Amino acid sequence: MNRYFLPLFLVFGLLFFVSGCKTQQVISEKEEDKSDEPPIESPQTDQKELAEKRGFVILDYELAEPVREFRGFWVATVVNIDWPESGTDSWEKQKADFLKLLDYYQGLNFNAAIVQIRAAGDAFYPSNYAPWSRYLTGQEGKAPQSLENPLSWMIQETHARGMEFHAWLNPYRATFDDKTEFLSPDHDFFLHPDWMLKYGSKFYYNPGLPEVKEHLKKIIQEVVANYDVDAIHFDDYFYPYKVANQEFPDQATYQKFKNPGQSIDDWRRENVNTLVKEVNQTIKASKPWVQFGISPFGVWRNKDKDPNGSATQAGQTNYDDLFADPLTWMKNQWIDYLIPQLYWSMDYSLASYRVLSDWWNERSFGTAIYIGNGPYKIRDNADVAWNDPEELIRQVAYTRTLPALGGNSYFSAKSLYTKNQDVAGLLKNQLYDKPVLPPAFEPRQQVEISMPQVRDLSNEGQELRLELDGPLDPAIRYVLFREGKSLESLQTAPFQKIWVGGSRASNLAIRTSNQEFLAIQWLDHFGRILGSQVFHNLTPSLP
């Protein structure tokens, strides 16, 4: 070692120590108002001083990650199952009915609405690829009697209530019946008759045609690009459920496009797999934070067909009859979540909710799985288990015991709204007593998002005013606000979830009950909490 090194090291160390002492001395003198000249202050110090002037102190306190659970409900619009009550209702009545539905489920502490915006080759929004739905306006192709965009409005109102909006589209169903005289001249049935296949009493887009796949991708891209949806959602209708004594009429397409030696069943599954893969790519290329979810039929395969199948005896299955293979979608990360429809009672002999929940729990492949429940069967099914109001409660409670299952969704909205409200009350009181956040998910590529900081707080009666250090990053969707009488109670206090998406706001107002401790957290469009700030209110007005 150089003989001059040690003395120099000691000199610099001494200087560093003295400097530190002087810094501490300056801070101490400042606190006692004895400093002759102002010290250089950090932004955090500025924030603390500004807050204290308003009666708030920033605390160095960590909040636990809040409880996450998916609590969704399907709003079926086809043939006006859930909403609107009628396509001939005025837009103002339809709006009022939709708000009542949202308010009801918000009151039950749900956090996601899955709303059907394309039922059968139509649209609940102005589209370049589909006519207006007759289920919205009473006549297909007729626009609503309003300048308001129904989809934009529905998304806005859903977000205002702290819920995610999942845009539900049916990809292959072209008509709901064979009454084509009610279709608009702009429906694909007339524009592209070569795309149509009749099966049973309905017409379907031919899944084997490349131009059909490209058309469907354009429909998805239109929605994702123009609307602030949280997810694109497909249901269980891929190839149609089989009709007795009929063969789906796609043999000519199969002969044209099959690979050498490929069976028609494998070719059909490949068509669906390709659509799912490319829809995912379409969504993520435009908005990586928009999720892609599918709710397939509850049985992948029966065990008698495949040793990896479930111990069930379902009459039709995803793999063998609908030519849909959810396990492949999850293994390849083509979807963000799966909601298998387990619309059977806990111990139903042919397809048990308990058995199938266990089966899906063991096969998530890292994909979020929620369970689809069927409260439409309550007091209205041959299976007497549904006569017990507690059947649904037992199902949801059982879901919670399985680690790979992150929540539930319910078909359909009116089954707990216009009837069975007593069961909805049991659900809230026993399991949904507090609001929770839906699951977050991580982006597949690194993203940079500016985390907001509260620079100043002021209390104006029942309103808390937040001044931020700059405009909100567009990726910030919500502010979460909690209050409590103690730091401990703050951890479990109910939250206000306030939509700020796209506002670029630098000032916010939040309703407050003016308690002693406050927490402010920010959620991004992936559902993640980016940061938290905890404050001590020096002038609370507790009862």
Side-chain angles (χ1 to χ4, degrees):
M1 179 182 292
N2 189 304
R3 62 193 180 94
Y4 296 106
F5 179 80
L6 185 59
L8 287 173
F9 173 79
L10 292 173
V11 168
F12 282 116
L14 184 60
L15 288 172
F16 181 80
F17 175 78
V18 171
S19 175
C21 292
K22 289 186 69 178
T23 302
Q24 182 62 45
Q25 182 182 5
V26 168
I27 293 173
S28 300
E29 289 175 350
K30 180 182 180 303
E31 290 173 349
E32 297 172 9
D33 295 322
K34 295 179 180 179
S35 176
D36 294 330
E37 56 184 44
I40 298 173
E41 298 169 355
S42 68
Q44 184 69 18
T45 303
D46 290 343
Q47 289 181 30
K48 287 184 177 180
E49 286 191 351
L50 286 166
E52 287 177 14
K53 289 176 183 177
R54 299 289 192 180
F56 297 92
V57 174
I58 299 173
L59 302 179
D60 184 13
Y61 183 75
E62 288 292 324
L63 289 169
E65 173 69 15
V67 174
R68 303 264 186 176
E69 182 178 49
F70 190 83
R71 299 175 180 175
F73 59 100
W74 279 285
V75 181
T77 60
V78 65
V79 296
N80 304 107
I81 290 175
D82 290 315
W83 178 87
E85 290 184 1
S86 171
T88 59
D89 286 344
S90 69
W91 172 232
E92 290 305 313
K93 181 182 183 304
Q94 291 176 346
K95 287 171 63 176
D97 290 342
F98 190 75
L99 292 182
K100 290 176 184 176
L101 192 64
L102 288 183
D103 289 343
Y104 179 75
Y105 276 96
Q106 182 189 22
L108 294 175
N109 293 323
F110 278 63
N111 55 32
I114 306 173
V115 182
Q116 191 173 33
I117 66 168
R118 175 185 171 86
D122 56 2
F124 272 64
Y125 53 94
S127 174
N128 292 320
Y129 306 106
W132 285 99
S133 175
R134 69 174 181 260
Y135 307 123
L136 179 67
T137 67
Q139 178 183 334
E140 189 168 280
K142 177 185 176 182
Q145 299 299 302
S146 171
L147 296 177
E148 209 162 26
N149 183 325
L151 182 52
S152 297
W153 178 84
M154 287 190 289
I155 294 169
Q156 175 184 328
E157 293 296 337
T158 303
H159 284 160
R161 287 157 178 78
M163 298 183 192
E164 294 184 344
F165 188 98
H166 294 226
W168 167 16
L169 302 92
N170 187 285
Y172 291 136
R173 185 170 60 206
T175 71
F176 194 74
D177 51 39
D178 57 4
K179 297 175 182 178
T180 57
E181 65 271 21
F182 294 113
L183 300 178
S184 163
D186 295 326
H187 193 286
D188 286 330
F189 177 84
F190 296 112
L191 298 180
H192 302 284
D194 55 317
W195 292 358
M196 299 293 138
L197 295 175
K198 187 177 182 184
Y199 185 60
S201 62
K202 300 179 177 66
F203 285 89
Y204 296 88
Y205 289 87
N206 186 344
L209 293 176
E211 51 267 42
V212 165
K213 180 184 65 180
E214 292 304 315
H215 182 67
L216 294 173
K217 286 161 56 179
K218 289 177 183 177
I219 290 168
I220 300 300
Q221 172 60 24
E222 182 181 55
V223 173
V224 173
N226 294 311
Y227 298 97
D228 201 2
V229 298
D230 297 285
I232 294 294
H233 182 91
F234 287 173
D235 55 25
D236 52 320
Y237 292 101
F238 289 95
Y239 279 81
Y241 286 87
K242 288 186 175 179
V243 176
N245 303 316
Q246 288 192 36
E247 181 70 22
F248 191 70
D250 63 346
Q251 287 76 19
T253 314
Y254 163 65
Q255 293 297 334
K256 182 177 180 180
F257 291 105
K258 69 175 180 177
N259 295 323
Q262 188 177 36
S263 71
I264 192 168
D265 287 5
D266 287 340
W267 173 77
R268 287 170 174 168
R269 277 186 287 271
E270 183 182 12
N271 292 331
V272 174
N273 285 343
T274 302
L275 176 70
V276 170
K277 175 184 178 181
E278 295 188 7
V279 165
N280 175 66
Q281 292 171 341
T282 298
I283 295 169
K284 301 305 182 183
S286 177
K287 293 179 179 177
W289 57 89
V290 172
Q291 301 173 68
F292 182 27
I294 298 178
S295 58
F297 181 69
V299 179
W300 175 70
R301 299 190 85 182
N302 292 321
K303 204 174 190 68
D304 63 358
K305 285 286 188 82
D306 188 317
N308 194 39
S310 53
T312 52
Q313 302 173 54
Q316 299 194 47
T317 67
N318 275 297
Y319 189 91
D320 297 297
D321 300 288
L322 306 179
F323 306 104
D325 188 6
L327 299 189
T328 292
W329 310 336
M330 292 191 291
K331 287 175 183 176
N332 288 284
Q333 296 187 319
W334 293 340
I335 56 174
D336 295 297
Y337 69 81
L338 195 82
I339 311 182
Q341 298 174 17
L342 307 190
Y343 298 164
W344 303 283
S345 61
M346 282 291 285
D347 298 302
Y348 183 61
S349 60
L350 300 180
S352 157
Y353 183 93
R354 186 191 315 275
V355 167
L356 284 164
S357 294
D358 290 344
W359 190 90
W360 286 105
N361 176 66
E362 295 167 0
R363 291 164 178 83
S364 69
F365 303 102
T367 300
I369 295 184
Y370 319 127
I371 296 300
N373 299 77
Y376 70 93
K377 289 186 173 181
I378 296 173
R379 304 183 181 105
D380 190 18
N381 195 259
D383 179 1
V384 297
W386 287 105
N387 294 334
D388 183 354
E390 293 280 350
E391 172 64 26
L392 185 68
I393 310 306
R394 283 192 290 270
Q395 293 184 4
V396 180
Y398 188 72
T399 300
R400 286 183 171 181
T401 68
L402 302 174
L405 306 183
N408 299 77
S409 190
Y410 303 81
F411 186 86
S412 67
K414 73 177 183 181
S415 63
L416 292 173
Y417 175 54
T418 59
K419 55 182 183 176
N420 302 314
Q421 289 197 8
D422 60 328
V423 177
L426 293 174
L427 185 65
K428 179 180 180 180
N429 293 334
Q430 296 184 35
L431 299 172
Y432 288 3
D433 57 319
K434 289 183 179 179
V436 297
L437 297 179
F441 67 105
E442 289 298 321
R444 296 177 185 176
Q445 296 181 341
Q446 186 174 357
V447 294
E448 292 187 8
I449 301 174
S450 298
M451 206 277 283
Q453 291 285 337
V454 176
R455 181 173 178 80
D456 190 15
L457 282 177
S458 59
N459 198 324
E460 301 176 7
Q462 299 302 305
E463 190 173 79
L464 191 68
R465 303 288 301 185
L466 279 64
E467 179 184 331
L468 308 180
D469 59 356
L472 285 172
D473 190 305
I476 301 297
R477 290 303 188 90
Y478 289 99
V479 55
L480 293 184
F481 179 67
R482 284 186 276 180
E483 299 178 273
K485 298 178 181 179
S486 66
L487 287 174
E488 291 73 20
S489 67
L490 200 62
Q491 294 280 9
T492 57
F495 56 73
Q496 290 185 53
K497 188 179 180 185
I498 303 158
W499 175 258
V500 294
S503 67
R504 301 289 287 158
S506 55
N507 291 276
L508 297 172
I510 298 177
R511 184 180 70 255
T512 178
S513 57
N514 199 23
Q515 297 196 46
E516 188 170 356
F517 295 93
L518 318 173
I520 295 167
Q521 297 176 295
W522 304 97
L523 267 68
D524 71 359
H525 49 201
F526 295 98
R528 305 174 301 173
I529 291 180
L530 286 192
S532 305
Q533 288 179 277
V534 177
F535 298 88
H536 184 195
N537 183 0
L538 301 179
T539 57
S541 57
L542 296 175

